[in-house]
Amino acid sequence: MSALRWSYMDHWRADTPRGPMTQYGSRRLMDDFVKQISAVGFEGLDMFDFQIYGLTQMFGSIEKYQEYLQDHGITKIVNLFRGIMYDPRVADPHVRETHDEIVESTRRMLGMWEGLQVENLIVMPASLYADTAPVTKDKIKAAAECWNRVGEASAEFGVRTTGHHEFFCAIRTEEDILSFYEWTDPRYVSFFCDTAQHCIAGVDPVALYLKLHDRCSGFHFKDTREVDTTQAFASRPDAELMAPQTARWFYEMGTKGGLVDFPRLMHALKEHEFTGWITVEHDKANIGGDYAESTALSMWYAKHVLREIYP
Amino acid sequence: MNRWGYAVNAWAPVRREHQERMLKVVSACGFGHIELSCGSGRWEPLGRPEWIARNHGSPAGFLGFLAECGIDGVSSFYFDPGLLTEEEGFIPRSAADPGDRDAIVATAALFTDFLADIGGSVVVARPTPSQWQQPLARPGAIGAVARCWEAVGAYARDRGVTLALHVDFLSALRADDNLDRLLDATDPALVGMALDTAELAVAALDPVVFYRQYRERVVHVQIKNTRQADSRDEYALPHAELNLLRGGGSYGEQRWFHDLDTAGGLVDVAGFLAELDATGYDGWRIVESDHSPHPAETAMHNSWFLRHVVGVKRS
């Protein structure tokens, strides 16, 4: 029995006769999607929490959707990514007055997913850098307070709250990330290591994992070919798709010129006996590529390179 | 243990990294062997043994490249002597023409030698030009075709390779009783048949019925699906490659071949595979993405179907 299982983080788009569409567009597209990720060996699925609305329409309930996944070879929905549009007037982790809304909206959302055994609720722990700057200790402490409360609430649902640090997020440097975990309660807030995001931010994801391995509850395994050398993280209105430095930050594992040292990371996971789900992601793969091919290539790399290190 | 492979004829990789991506997709889908198809020139670097050697150094070098991509080997190579290639001086050849025999045997030997060197086992050949060209109209044409392929088969047998003639839906062997006549005229020890499920279905033939009828001669199987039969025999009309295969004929088909579990598919793939199992068929089972605009997606769909619907174990 392998110590690791592989889950797929959904950003899927497929070319269709009416142009690019997601699998939420029709049952046929959903069938295509699920069969493809299952075919190459994924057993779990990660998604954005708000997809529950469309899935409930399509399948009747989220439980029925998970049964459908199981019928097609996907064991469970593993992790949810919290979709919140941060706004300092309504919901923003560094604004203490908005914490009640963040906690309560998260509680409402998790209530809708209560019938499943979701493992992690993945959150971006602070707003965009550009909307938060200057990043101060107090703002990080405010965010820590926010996620401690959210984590305590999510624990009631059996779900861990875990921080995922986008390169354009306000808590992005190694020093700030470590401070954030120092100021959060390990019972309620875990660390979710996104390999490419840290790399782009100039943080070594392996070194970061080694420092936070006892807090780490999961991974997004994806690669990048670029470190942000132009302060793209601070750019408005968007750093992810509109940065002048590159149109595409993210690539699948095994890409030529990839900066993430996955073999070294796998050795670290083995050393610290990490067990459970690893999530593969290749966000924006459709920019100069396609999701199906990137998905197969990622799993090829997992099976042929990474499993050799840590089965 | 059944032998599964994937035909990579729907991809058109030129650069080495594109070849890598293709092979890794096939590997990730659980297929350990590939079937190559003949091509021409440096733009089709996997289309001829000469170009494979120039790109990968040697058969051993190519095997090493495949291994790096998680592929164990090459099952088979598809060869069409009628294909216009710069290596053959852009001369299309026909086995029905005795004057073409030596050249066809010589070219087939290139593919055969390559397969022998690399551990492959089947050279799959297009036996005649298309029906609209009337290659079998001349008296004695069937005999000429038989002698040509027996010569190829004999050479292949000596190298430990099997010859399988592939009857596609444009083939002159689809017409009248040409196929039976050719099989009667050839030595089964030298000339076998490749059964292609979708090609037969487009030709309005049931692959299971066909397999039962010709089981003793079927040494190679290619598996894909289709939604439309050529029920109006448009294969016999002029320029069928252009007007029917690529143009879709009066049926308006933009692509003839589809995923194994395509809605409205004419081939009962699971039923056909059950028939192979029941009769102890032990040749290659080659799956294809042929005509797919997204060969990787089709390979993934096909892999899922085989594993979850048919119950094929992953390699």
Side-chain angles (χ1 to χ4, degrees):
Chain A
M1 184 71 179
S2 172
L4 303 175
R5 301 179 77 185
W6 297 87
S7 185
Y8 184 80
M9 175 60 197
D10 162 42
H11 295 274
W12 191 266
R13 299 281 186 286
D15 289 333
T16 77
R18 65 174 75 174
M21 288 183 72
T22 74
Q23 70 274 29
Y24 302 100
S26 75
R27 178 62 181 266
R28 182 174 168 178
L29 290 168
M30 182 61 75
D31 285 354
D32 286 349
F33 162 67
V34 174
K35 289 176 182 178
Q36 287 178 71
I37 62 169
S38 169
V40 294
F42 286 102
E43 294 181 283
L45 179 61
D46 290 18
M47 64 179 64
F48 289 95
D49 55 7
F50 53 75
Q51 301 293 8
I52 193 169
Y53 300 111
L55 291 170
T56 302
Q57 283 187 40
M58 193 181 283
F59 291 90
S61 70
I62 198 64
E63 291 85 357
K64 288 286 181 196
Y65 177 58
Q66 185 163 273
E67 287 172 21
Y68 159 86
L69 290 175
Q70 289 165 347
D71 287 344
H72 289 74
I74 300 294
T75 310
K76 66 178 287 188
I77 296 170
V78 180
N79 302 315
L80 298 176
F81 203 105
R82 184 79 179 100
I84 299 184
M85 180 69 76
Y86 291 137
D87 180 333
R89 297 165 300 178
V90 182
D92 199 331
H94 78 269
V95 181
R96 290 184 171 88
E97 293 74 22
T98 68
H99 288 183
D100 286 349
E101 167 58 22
I102 294 173
V103 173
E104 289 313 310
S105 68
T106 303
R107 196 188 292 276
R108 282 197 299 276
M109 179 57 81
L110 285 176
M112 289 190 264
W113 290 87
E114 204 170 10
L116 306 187
Q117 284 74 51
V118 170
E119 308 215 351
N120 288 297
L121 180 72
I122 306 167
V123 300
M124 183 165 84
S127 186
L128 304 181
Y129 177 89
D131 290 346
T132 310
V135 178
T136 64
K137 284 186 178 178
D138 186 60
K139 286 178 181 175
I140 298 172
K141 279 184 177 167
E145 291 164 18
C146 173
W147 298 114
N148 277 339
R149 287 184 59 194
V150 170
E152 189 171 3
S154 74
E156 294 169 19
F157 295 88
V159 177
R160 279 177 302 211
T161 293
T162 185
H164 173 282
H165 301 262
E166 283 79 352
F167 76 91
F168 46 83
C169 155
I171 304 176
R172 55 183 300 282
T173 66
E174 182 168 318
E175 182 184 351
D176 287 350
I177 290 170
L178 293 176
S179 295
F180 175 75
Y181 288 100
E182 188 182 327
W183 295 330
T184 47
D185 187 333
R187 292 175 299 168
Y188 300 131
V189 182
S190 300
F191 165 60
F192 203 87
C193 181
D194 185 308
T195 52
Q197 298 280 7
H198 293 306
C199 233
I200 296 167
V203 176
D204 177 354
V206 184
L208 191 59
Y209 169 73
L210 289 170
K211 288 178 180 165
L212 291 172
H213 67 87
D214 56 344
R215 302 286 295 272
C216 185
S217 66
F219 298 85
H220 279 165
F221 270 24
K222 63 178 186 271
D223 212 339
T224 182
R225 297 173 180 170
E226 308 227 13
V227 173
D228 175 5
T229 55
T230 58
Q231 297 208 313
F233 68 87
S235 63
R236 293 178 190 273
D238 170 74
E240 210 176 1
L241 286 168
M242 301 170 78
Q245 183 177 332
T246 181
R248 181 177 175 181
W249 291 103
F250 306 121
Y251 290 84
E252 71 276 351
M253 289 190 290
T255 190
K256 275 198 167 47
L259 299 179
V260 177
D261 189 345
F262 285 107
R264 189 168 138 248
L265 181 56
M266 286 306 277
H267 282 292
L269 265 65
K270 187 177 179 183
E271 181 188 337
H272 291 286
E273 299 178 337
F274 178 88
T275 60
W277 293 92
I278 291 181
T279 301
V280 169
E281 189 181 33
H282 35 252
D283 197 359
K284 318 292 185 296
N286 52 328
I287 301 172
D290 72 73
Y291 277 97
E293 187 189 57
S294 288
T295 301
L297 292 174
S298 293
M299 207 54 193
W300 184 91
Y301 188 83
K303 284 192 269 193
H304 288 264
V305 180
L306 302 185
R307 274 189 192 160
E308 295 293 313
I309 298 167
Y310 187 16
Chain B
M1 187 68 177
N2 294 329
R3 293 186 293 165
W4 289 92
Y6 211 91
V8 295
N9 51 0
W11 281 269
V14 178
R15 294 174 65 85
R16 187 181 174 98
E17 62 263 33
H18 295 158
Q19 296 176 37
E20 271 184 41
R21 293 173 79 85
M22 172 186 79
L23 295 167
K24 287 177 178 177
V25 167
V26 170
S27 168
C29 290
F31 295 93
H33 285 74
I34 55 167
E35 178 171 288
L36 298 171
S37 288
C38 62
S40 177
R42 56 195 163 87
W43 311 274
E44 296 186 89
L46 302 181
R48 291 199 38 128
E50 308 97 294
W51 288 109
I52 292 173
R54 285 184 209 184
N55 279 274
H56 298 282
S58 64
F62 184 53
L63 273 181
F65 172 66
L66 294 180
E68 286 172 13
C69 299
I71 297 293
D72 300 324
V74 177
S75 58
S76 38
F77 215 132
Y78 174 78
F79 162 53
D80 175 7
L83 185 74
L84 293 170
T85 65
E86 63 177 13
E87 294 82 357
E88 307 286 335
F90 294 106
I91 301 168
R93 297 196 170 95
S94 167
D97 182 347
D100 283 349
R101 184 186 310 164
D102 289 347
I104 291 174
V105 173
T107 306
L110 288 175
F111 293 98
T112 304
D113 290 345
F114 172 79
L115 286 166
D117 291 345
I118 209 167
S121 55
V122 184
V123 60
V124 184
R126 188 166 198 243
T128 71
S130 301
Q131 169 63 10
W132 71 269
Q133 295 170 289
Q134 295 287 310
L136 303 179
R138 185 181 55 77
I142 287 281
V145 173
R147 298 295 81 74
C148 177
W149 293 117
E150 279 188 334
V152 171
Y155 183 88
R157 186 180 61 177
D158 290 347
R159 304 282 342 247
V161 172
T162 300
L163 169 65
L165 299 183
H166 177 271
V167 180
D168 57 50
F169 75 87
L170 301 185
S171 174
L173 294 175
R174 180 181 157 188
D176 305 322
D177 59 351
N178 289 339
L179 178 60
D180 287 332
R181 289 168 60 212
L182 177 63
L183 292 177
D184 288 344
T186 49
D187 180 350
L190 301 177
V191 179
M193 263 209 302
L195 185 161
D196 186 313
T197 55
E199 299 278 3
L200 291 179
V202 177
L205 296 168
D206 181 331
V208 172
V209 172
F210 187 93
Y211 175 69
R212 287 176 181 159
Q213 185 175 353
Y214 297 105
R215 185 176 134 199
E216 300 302 322
R217 301 297 290 269
V218 172
V219 295
H220 192 74
V221 163
Q222 294 172 331
I223 307 161
K224 55 186 184 264
N225 214 332
T226 184
R227 298 175 181 166
Q228 177 67 52
D230 173 27
S231 53
R232 293 188 281 273
D233 285 348
E234 293 184 23
Y235 80 110
L237 300 178
H239 306 291
E241 287 84 359
L242 179 66
N243 296 324
L244 184 64
L245 180 63
R246 293 195 288 277
S250 69
Y251 314 100
E253 288 296 287
Q254 292 192 328
R255 54 183 284 201
W256 284 95
F257 306 127
H258 293 269
D259 302 357
L260 299 184
D261 63 346
T262 189
L266 300 181
V267 179
D268 172 10
V269 175
F272 174 73
L273 292 172
E275 183 71 17
L276 294 184
D277 290 340
T279 55
Y281 171 80
D282 63 355
W284 285 103
R285 301 166 190 225
I286 304 297
V287 187
E288 299 189 19
S289 289
D290 200 8
H291 287 203
S292 171
H294 301 290
E297 282 186 28
T298 294
M300 293 160 81
H301 282 152
N302 289 342
S303 171
W304 186 89
F305 173 79
L306 291 171
R307 189 154 56 105
H308 288 270
V309 179
V310 181
V312 174
K313 303 290 182 204
R314 298 174 67 82
S315 67

